[in-house]
Structures are given as C-alpha cells and as structure tokens.
C-alpha cells in the first residue's frame, strides 16, 4: 500500500512539473491578493500581474518548442500537446493585453487585486480546459472560468453591472446544468469519463440511439455557451454592455479560445464514434445561425459594446467553420484565425476604451472626430477592416484560409450544407462591412464641430501600432505564423498507453 501511495505521489509531482505555466498562474493568484493587501500600490499590483502572465507565456512557448509527443497527466485527466499549448499561449497573450488595457484604468478601479486575481483565474481555467480529456475536468475548468467571469462582469460596481452579472450567472447556471446532464448520459453509455479514449469510442459505438444524440447536443451546448455562439448567445450583449471595457475585451477572446479548443476535440470524437447522426451538418447549421444572427443583429446596434457583442457572436461562427471542415488544415487555419482575432479585437477595444472615457458611448457620438483623433481613428479603422476580412489585413488572410478549408471539405464529402455554409459565410462577410465601418464613417465622413481636447495618447498609440503592425504582417507574411502552426499535431483519440507521466 505504501508503495502504491508513493507511486501516486510521484505521478502527481511529475504531472505538476509538466504544468509549469498553470502552477505559475495558480501561485500568481495568491501573490496578487497578498501583495495587494500588504502594498496598496496600483502600479505594483498591475506590474506583478503582467509578470505572471509573461512568465506563463514564456514557459508555454518553451514547452511548445521542446515537446516531442503528447503527454497524459494526472491519470489521463489532462492531455498536454502542441494543440493545447498553442491555445494556452494565445490565452496568456490575451491576458497580457488585458492587463495593459487595465493599466489605463487602474487609478479608477477599486479592488484592483481581486480584479487581477479573477483575470488570472479565468486564464487558468482556460489553460486547463484546452487540455482536458476527462468530462469531470472539463466541467471543473468551465466552472472556474464561469464563476470568475460572473464576478468580473459586475466590476463596474453600478446597477447595470449587477444586472449583467446576474443575467450571466443565471444563463451560465442553466447551460452548465444542461451540459452536466449530458455528461451523465455519456457516462451511462460508456462507463468512462475519458472522452478521448478508445474505451469511450468502443462502448459508444454500441449505444447510438436518439438519447445519445440528445446527450451530444447537451454537452455541445455548454461549449457553445462559452463561445457565445447561437443559439447560446443571448447573454452576450447585456454582459458586454455592463462590463468594464478591458473585461469585455477579455471575454471576447479567452473564453472563446478555451471553448473552441475543447469543442474541437469533442466534435472529432463524436464524428468518429457516430456515423448515423451527421455532426458535421449539425455544427454547420450552428455556424450559419451564429454568422447570420450576429451580423444582422449588429446592424441594428447603436451602443459600441453591444455592437462588439454581436460581432463576437458572428466571429464564433467563423471559428466554427475551421472545426466543421473536419480536416487537419481546417484546424490549423482555425488557429491562424484565432491568433489574428486576438490582435484585431484588442486593437479595436483599446481605442473604444479611450473614446468611452471621453464620453463616446454610442456610434453617433463618433461624428466628426476623425480630424481631432486622427491616429486613434486610423488604427480603429484598420482593426474594423481586419474584422470585416478585407485586404491588406490579416483578417482577409484568415478568412481566405478557413473558407479554402471549407471548400476542400465540400469537395471531399459533397455535402450541400458545407456549400451553403460557404455561401452564408461570404454573404455575411459583406453584411459585416456595413456595421464595422459605421464608426469610421461617422468619424471621417460626417462633419460636426467639436470642442474636445485630446489627452496624451502615447500609450494607446504605441499599443495600437504594435497590434496593427502584427495585423499587416499576418497579411503580407502569413507563412511566418503558419510555419509554427503547421508543426501542431492534432490527434483526436488517445490510444492507451500513451506517454503517461509518472
């Protein structure tokens, strides 16, 4: 018995050693709270959070460069591979950008140490979710993200923030309960919670019934909720409008990256286990709904945060296209799109935050400010052009890639739904042009006299310039990023034994 306990402890410590970025984030949560209690200095707390995310990011990149083959950690609860590492790197990058955005508001933000601790907690949950291969770990990771997000939504400390936080909590609780019931059904079918294992596939193959289809939809609904994809999207506009701008930027990227990562693994498993239900067509319909609802609803918005909420719903549809293709290059192109999405989303939000502080909350209030705020409006224009998917920006390259993978999938399978998804994707790209360019239109084309003096914009312009250069680089030299992404191997099913740590 002592020998067995010793082996278990050795396995745990070996697994922890392989989770260096997650350990850094976990310790970082405690450090931020303790330092915030001891030293009431906003700058120190912000700098410490920035260092925590930076160290985690560097450790993830180191693992991404040295990892030779996938590793199973904690008795197969987590799977460390290049796919999960790449998404974790994007999560940390988004965390760094969020802290930089928050830097401008740190003197106005109360409870700063709790704020940053929650930001790190969401990132930690995202790290764990993209590595999860066990339904219990999936649920725990999702709840780690969700509960922290509910609190972050109310960090504006006003009535609207409290209302948005409550709506987010109620909707998230229902989504989690539905997903958990679906998980219990899968456990009843297979007798295992390891959804990437051969045992799961083997036992599931003999239980393909309508109840299995319902269970699959229930679990997928939990992931769609994190993606803010239709029809699990109604929470997004109210939550985005109620939250502080850095939190909105964070919500629009990190939970979406985590959701698309775990959904990709689970969708591949469903496709391999079940030939009687066409999961490719089901996810295609979800992508079409997300694109259509997100883009057409955005046309009606007057508030900038609500516009970006519906933009986020539409962008979830584009990310799903990479998954729907069910091809290796489709997953690679989805990762490329996710990378560009992080850059172009933050370049938009950093300037929306600046304009919000100057009283520009609705789209009509941007009228005639292009001359007064020239460079912010120019960088904002480039961000919106990239979100639309027009050249010469990385958004164009990203959409070209995922549409090409969808076309390849259509040629291989001949499914009409894939062709319809391609057509709807192209048409919705045109529709998005009409709302993404509304703010630049009001800023540069509409004329009115304004008596606003510009504050110092050195930080925002440096922040925007770096991201804009990245967006342009992704257009002119996409091979620099695709060279990294093409090294990522994605295996949807684990065949035990497989490099189990310990």
């Amino acid at each position: 018995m002592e020998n067995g306990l010793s082996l278990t402890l050795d396995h745990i410590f070996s697994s922890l050693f392989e989770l260096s970025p997650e350990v850094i984030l976990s310790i970082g949560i405690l450090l931020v709270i303790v330092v915030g209690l001891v030293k009431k200095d906003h700058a120190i707390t912000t700098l410490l959070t920035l260092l925590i995310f930076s160290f985690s990011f560097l450790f993830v990149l180191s693992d991404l460069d040295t990892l030779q083959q996938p590793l199973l950690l904690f008795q197969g609860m987590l799977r460390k591979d290049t796919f999960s590492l790449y998404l974790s790197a994007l999560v940390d990058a988004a965390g760094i950008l969020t802290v930089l955005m928050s830097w401008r508001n740190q003197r106005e933000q109360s409870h700063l140490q709790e704020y940053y601790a929650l930001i790190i907690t969401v990132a930690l949950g995202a790290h764990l979710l993209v590595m999860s291969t066990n339904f219990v770990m999936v649920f725990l990771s999702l709840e780690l993200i969700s509960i922290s997000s509910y609190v972050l939504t109310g960090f504006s400390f006003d009535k609207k923030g409290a209302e948005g936080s409550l709506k987010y909590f109620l909707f998230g609780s229902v989504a989690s309960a539905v997903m958990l019931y679906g998980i219990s059904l899968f456990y009843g079918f297979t007798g295992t919670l390891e959804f990437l294992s051969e045992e799961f596939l083997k036992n599931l193959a003999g239980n393909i019934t309508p109840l299995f289809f319902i269970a699959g939809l229930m679990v997928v609904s939990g992931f769609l909720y994190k993606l803010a994809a239709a029809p699990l999207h109604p929470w997004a506009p109210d939550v985005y409008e109620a939250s502080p701008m850095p939190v909105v930027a964070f919500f629009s990227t990190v939970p979406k990256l985590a959701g698309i990562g775990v959904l990709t693994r689970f969708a591949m498993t469903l496709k391999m286990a079940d030939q009687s239900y066409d999961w490719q067509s089901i996810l295609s319909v979800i992508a079409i709904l997300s694109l259509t609802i997100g883009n057409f609803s955005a046309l009606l918005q007057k508030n900038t945060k609500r516009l970006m909420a519906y933009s986020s719903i539409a962008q979830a549809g584009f990310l799903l296209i990479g998954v729907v293709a069910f091809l290796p290059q489709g997953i690679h192109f989805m990762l490329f799109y996710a990378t560009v999405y992080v850059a172009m989303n933050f370049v938009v939000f950093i300037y929306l935050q600046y304009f919000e502080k100057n009283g520009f909350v609705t789209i009509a209030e941007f009228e005639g400010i292009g001359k007064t705020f020239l460079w912010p409006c120019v960088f904002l224009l480039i961000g919106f052009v990239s979100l639309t998917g027009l050249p010469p920006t990385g958004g164009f390259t990203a959409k070209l890639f995922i549409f090409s993978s969808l076309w390849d999938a259509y040629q291989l399978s001949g499914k009409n739904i894939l062709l319809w998804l391609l057509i709807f994707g192209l048409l919705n790209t045109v529709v998005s042009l009409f709302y993404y360019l509304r703010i630049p239109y009001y800023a540069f084309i509409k004329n009115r006299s304004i008596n606003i003096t510009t504050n110092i914009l050195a930080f925002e312009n440096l922040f925007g310039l770096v991201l804009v250069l990245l967006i342009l680089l992704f257009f002119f030299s996409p091979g620099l990023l695709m060279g990294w992404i093409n090294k990522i191997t994605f295996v949807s099913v684990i065949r035990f034994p497989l490099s189990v740590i310990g």
Side-chain angles (χ1 to χ4, degrees):
M1 184 175 179
E2 290 182 2
N3 188 38
L5 179 61
S6 176
L7 288 175
T8 302
L9 291 174
D10 288 342
H11 172 77
I12 291 173
F13 285 120
S14 300
S15 297
L16 281 174
F17 181 76
E18 292 294 336
L19 291 178
S20 301
E22 291 71 34
V23 171
I24 290 171
L25 293 176
S26 301
I27 296 173
I29 295 168
L30 299 176
L31 278 177
V32 166
I33 294 174
V34 171
V35 170
L37 291 173
V38 174
K39 192 77 173 176
K40 298 292 184 180
D41 189 323
H42 289 344
I44 291 177
T45 307
T46 303
L47 183 60
L48 176 61
T49 309
L50 193 61
L51 287 173
I52 290 166
F53 273 120
S54 299
F55 278 118
S56 177
F57 180 72
L58 291 174
F59 271 87
V60 171
L61 289 185
S62 175
D63 288 342
L64 190 60
D65 187 54
T66 58
L67 188 67
Q68 299 296 322
Q69 58 180 337
L71 301 174
L72 294 181
L73 310 176
F74 296 106
Q75 303 292 338
M77 296 282 283
L78 299 173
R79 173 186 167 96
K80 180 179 178 181
D81 55 18
T82 49
F83 177 75
S84 63
L85 285 172
Y86 188 87
L87 287 173
S88 296
L90 288 183
V91 167
D92 288 339
I96 291 170
L97 295 174
T98 303
V99 174
L100 291 174
M101 276 188 69
S102 303
W103 193 298
R104 297 298 275 174
N105 288 336
Q106 61 182 2
R107 297 196 180 278
E108 304 167 14
Q109 180 69 63
S110 57
H111 307 287
L112 197 67
Q113 65 267 29
E114 292 91 343
Y115 169 78
Y116 283 130
L118 289 168
I119 290 287
I120 299 172
T121 303
V122 174
L124 174 61
H127 273 241
L128 295 174
L129 185 57
V130 298
M131 290 192 292
S132 297
T133 60
N134 183 290
F135 277 130
V136 171
M137 199 67 218
V138 167
F139 184 75
L140 291 175
S141 303
L142 272 173
E143 290 306 292
L144 193 61
I145 297 171
S146 297
I147 294 172
S148 303
S149 299
Y150 304 151
V151 183
L152 281 171
T153 301
F155 254 78
S156 54
F157 297 104
D158 55 18
K159 183 178 179 181
K160 184 177 286 187
E163 182 183 343
S165 182
L166 180 60
K167 287 181 179 178
Y168 199 6
F169 167 73
L170 292 174
F171 198 94
S173 299
V174 173
S176 296
V178 170
M179 186 186 72
L180 190 60
Y181 189 72
I183 288 173
S184 68
L185 291 175
F186 273 116
Y187 182 68
F189 292 146
T190 64
T192 179
L193 293 168
E194 307 286 343
F195 65 90
L196 295 188
S197 66
E198 281 190 317
E199 181 186 358
F200 183 87
L201 278 178
K202 181 180 177 181
N203 293 336
L204 199 59
N207 289 284
I208 304 301
T209 64
L211 190 58
F212 156 79
F213 175 69
I214 293 172
L217 287 181
M218 285 181 168
V219 175
V220 167
S221 68
F223 304 146
L224 297 179
Y225 155 72
K226 278 291 128 203
L227 274 169
L232 277 297
H233 69 280
W235 61 270
D238 289 334
V239 169
Y240 278 44
E241 188 178 10
S243 305
M245 194 67 79
V247 174
V248 177
F250 191 67
F251 284 171
S252 69
T253 50
V254 170
K256 201 176 295 291
L257 293 171
I260 198 68
V262 69
L263 176 62
T264 302
R265 293 193 193 276
F266 187 66
M268 293 293 181
T269 303
L270 287 180
K271 188 174 186 297
M272 292 182 65
D274 176 22
Q275 301 301 322
S276 56
Y277 294 100
D278 190 351
W279 289 99
Q280 189 174 40
S281 296
I282 294 167
L283 291 176
S284 296
V285 171
I286 292 170
I288 290 172
L289 284 175
S290 300
L291 290 168
T292 306
I293 292 173
N295 283 310
F296 280 90
S297 298
L299 292 172
L300 307 175
Q301 302 310 308
K302 297 178 181 178
N303 181 281
T304 56
K305 285 182 177 178
R306 293 185 72 88
L307 182 142
M308 292 307 295
Y310 284 106
S311 162
S312 176
I313 295 165
Q315 295 297 332
F318 284 114
L319 286 169
L320 281 170
I321 291 176
V323 180
V324 164
F326 285 113
L327 295 172
Q329 65 264 35
I331 296 171
H332 289 160
F333 292 155
M334 180 270 289
L335 293 176
F336 183 91
Y337 193 98
T339 308
V340 178
Y341 177 68
V342 170
M344 59 193 183
N345 228 37
F346 272 96
V347 78
V348 168
F349 277 113
I350 186 64
Y351 288 112
L352 289 183
Q353 174 180 253
Y354 175 80
F355 287 126
E356 184 184 58
K357 289 173 66 177
N358 283 277
F360 302 105
V361 177
T362 65
I363 295 172
E365 289 171 340
F366 282 79
E367 185 176 345
I369 68 168
K371 293 180 181 178
T372 307
F373 301 92
L374 177 61
W375 286 111
C377 289
V378 168
F379 289 155
L380 197 57
L381 171 62
I382 294 173
F384 280 130
V385 167
S386 187
L387 282 168
T388 305
L390 297 177
T393 63
F396 171 80
T397 311
K399 286 188 178 178
L400 178 65
F401 282 169
I402 61 168
F403 283 142
S404 66
S405 70
L406 185 60
W407 177 252
D408 290 341
Y410 167 69
Q411 288 188 312
L412 287 172
S413 66
K415 293 180 180 178
N416 290 330
I417 188 65
L418 297 180
L419 182 60
W420 279 111
L421 177 56
L422 179 62
I423 294 170
F424 269 86
L426 293 171
L427 291 177
N428 275 284
T429 298
V430 176
V431 171
S432 68
L433 183 69
F434 290 93
Y435 69 84
Y436 278 133
L437 297 188
R438 281 174 70 195
I439 291 177
Y441 169 76
Y442 273 91
F444 290 111
I445 306 301
K446 293 279 189 176
N447 291 316
R448 69 160 173 157
S449 58
I450 55 174
N451 298 316
I452 299 176
T453 56
T454 59
N455 300 323
I456 297 174
L457 271 162
F459 175 81
E460 282 82 2
N461 285 341
L462 178 61
F463 188 107
L465 178 63
V466 171
L467 293 177
V468 164
L469 289 177
L470 274 177
I471 291 170
L472 296 176
L473 182 66
F474 291 147
F475 173 79
F476 290 105
S477 298
L480 294 177
L481 181 58
M482 284 305 301
W484 273 43
I485 293 176
N486 285 331
K487 296 177 183 178
I488 294 173
T489 55
F490 184 88
V491 180
S492 56
V493 178
I494 298 174
R495 290 174 171 80
F496 292 99
L498 169 70
S499 301
V500 180
I501 290 296

